[in-house]
Amino acid sequence: MQRKWFQYWFNSPYYHILYSQRNDEEAEFLIDNLTALLKPAMHSKILDIACGRGRHSIYLQKKGFEVTGIDLSEQNIKYAKQFEQRYLHFFVHDMRRLGYINYYDIALNLFTSFGYFDTEKEHVNALKSFRKSIKHDGTLVIDYFNTQKILKNLTQRETKTVEGIEFDIHKYVSGGKIIKHIDFEHRSKHFAFEERVQAFTLEDFKRMFLKSGLVIKNTFGTYGLEEFDETRSDRLILICKKV
């Protein structure tokens, strides 16, 4: 089977160099606000879907929850495993084929870790697996970028220099996807990677949730859990339950 863009890019050390400005404070701020809203009991079981290097998972475990982080990137999970302990575990796993059924109190899919697949059917199948993984009264949280604001303010070309590497970034929209080409030179070699994320709106999520047996209970537009505004909000945060 041909490898997808995310299997190359998320396993690359350059992904983490380019996005090294992502800070733990922001992740902890979101987790503090979500746990204050959802009020999970101590030792609640939480699944972090597409956990990356585990920054949300690690903080959740520190707050007293039993956490499982999964990610398709072998390199991310290899890094995260150094933080494993009794109530914190990490596994390489595909979000479309989750293992446990009716097991988790909360499932989280944070920081636009969705929208990577080619077809809506694949995305609906992923949502169905998220739904199956949570208990009957469990909660699913999806944190996506606000597509409307992204499209309105799309910077087509920019250059970022991080750790001495000059990343040339070209963004555009094609086939319902927001595409980002990333080109750079390092150690006399040329590299090119790509990100392709579906331009899903709130209405798209509502349609996919209907197909996957989920319903939205709350919608927020910031990590401070302020009201969602499709023109101004940076994020689209969806708090969902099983139908």
Side-chain angles (χ1 to χ4, degrees):
M1 186 189 292
Q2 186 181 4
R3 284 165 68 87
K4 301 293 187 181
W5 67 264
F6 47 85
Q7 292 170 297
Y8 288 109
W9 180 220
F10 294 155
N11 264 322
S12 161
Y14 298 108
Y15 170 81
H16 297 286
I17 292 170
L18 177 59
Y19 294 119
S20 59
Q21 81 280 7
R22 292 176 179 172
N23 61 55
D24 291 337
E25 280 179 26
E26 182 184 65
E28 291 172 8
F29 180 64
L30 173 60
I31 293 301
D32 284 341
N33 289 320
L34 284 175
T35 52
L37 174 76
L38 300 175
K39 298 179 174 60
M42 290 294 281
H43 297 296
S44 287
K45 292 179 173 63
I46 298 179
L47 176 65
D48 186 3
I49 303 166
C51 65
R53 287 182 163 187
R55 59 186 179 145
H56 297 100
S57 296
I58 293 161
Y59 187 59
L60 280 161
Q61 191 276 323
K62 287 178 182 172
K63 288 175 77 74
F65 307 115
E66 294 185 27
V67 187
T68 303
I70 64 158
D71 200 278
L72 199 60
S73 164
E74 296 94 343
Q75 294 302 318
N76 281 344
I77 294 301
K78 185 180 177 183
Y79 180 90
K81 274 187 172 292
Q82 68 184 299
F83 303 103
E84 282 191 332
Q85 47 184 288
R86 185 180 177 188
Y87 294 120
L88 178 63
H89 298 282
F90 293 100
F91 301 96
V92 176
H93 206 81
D94 189 321
M95 66 170 68
R96 289 166 290 186
R97 290 181 280 279
L98 297 182
Y100 289 98
I101 295 177
N102 299 332
Y103 184 77
Y104 294 99
D105 298 287
I106 299 171
L108 305 172
N109 180 247
L110 305 176
F111 213 78
T112 315
S113 302
F114 194 72
Y116 299 162
F117 310 126
D118 293 328
T119 65
E120 182 162 307
K121 186 178 180 182
E122 285 178 281
H123 289 101
V124 169
N125 285 343
L127 290 170
K128 284 178 178 176
S129 74
F130 297 0
R131 180 188 180 276
K132 286 177 186 171
S133 72
I134 56 175
K135 294 176 180 176
H136 294 296
D137 60 346
T139 303
L140 168 66
V141 180
I142 292 184
D143 160 38
Y144 210 69
F145 53 42
N146 176 15
T147 292
Q148 257 95 335
K149 186 174 180 181
I150 294 268
L151 295 177
K152 189 179 171 186
N153 300 288
L154 198 69
T155 307
Q156 291 196 322
R157 282 204 175 274
E158 63 176 317
T159 301
K160 284 186 180 178
T161 303
V162 189
E163 294 185 22
I165 302 170
E166 193 172 280
F167 294 94
D168 181 38
I169 299 165
H170 176 212
K171 300 177 195 170
Y172 61 96
V173 180
S174 177
K177 294 181 175 73
I178 297 168
I179 299 172
K180 187 190 287 187
H181 278 302
I182 302 150
D183 288 270
F184 55 95
E185 304 273 340
H186 190 229
R187 293 176 180 161
S188 303
K189 283 187 180 178
H190 177 257
F191 294 89
F193 291 97
E194 192 174 69
E195 296 177 10
R196 304 172 67 88
V197 183
Q198 292 285 348
F200 287 143
T201 63
L202 177 56
E203 293 308 310
D204 292 323
F205 276 107
K206 285 178 180 176
R207 183 182 67 253
M208 291 188 293
F209 288 155
L210 194 64
K211 293 178 180 178
S212 51
L214 292 158
V215 63
I216 299 169
K217 291 296 183 185
N218 302 94
T219 308
F220 301 108
T222 69
Y223 287 159
L225 303 188
E226 294 160 292
E227 190 177 343
F228 175 70
D229 181 293
E230 68 175 25
T231 56
R232 292 196 296 271
S233 295
D234 288 324
R235 311 302 300 172
L236 172 60
I237 299 170
L238 306 167
I239 313 293
C240 312
K241 293 281 191 179
K242 290 187 176 186
V243 173

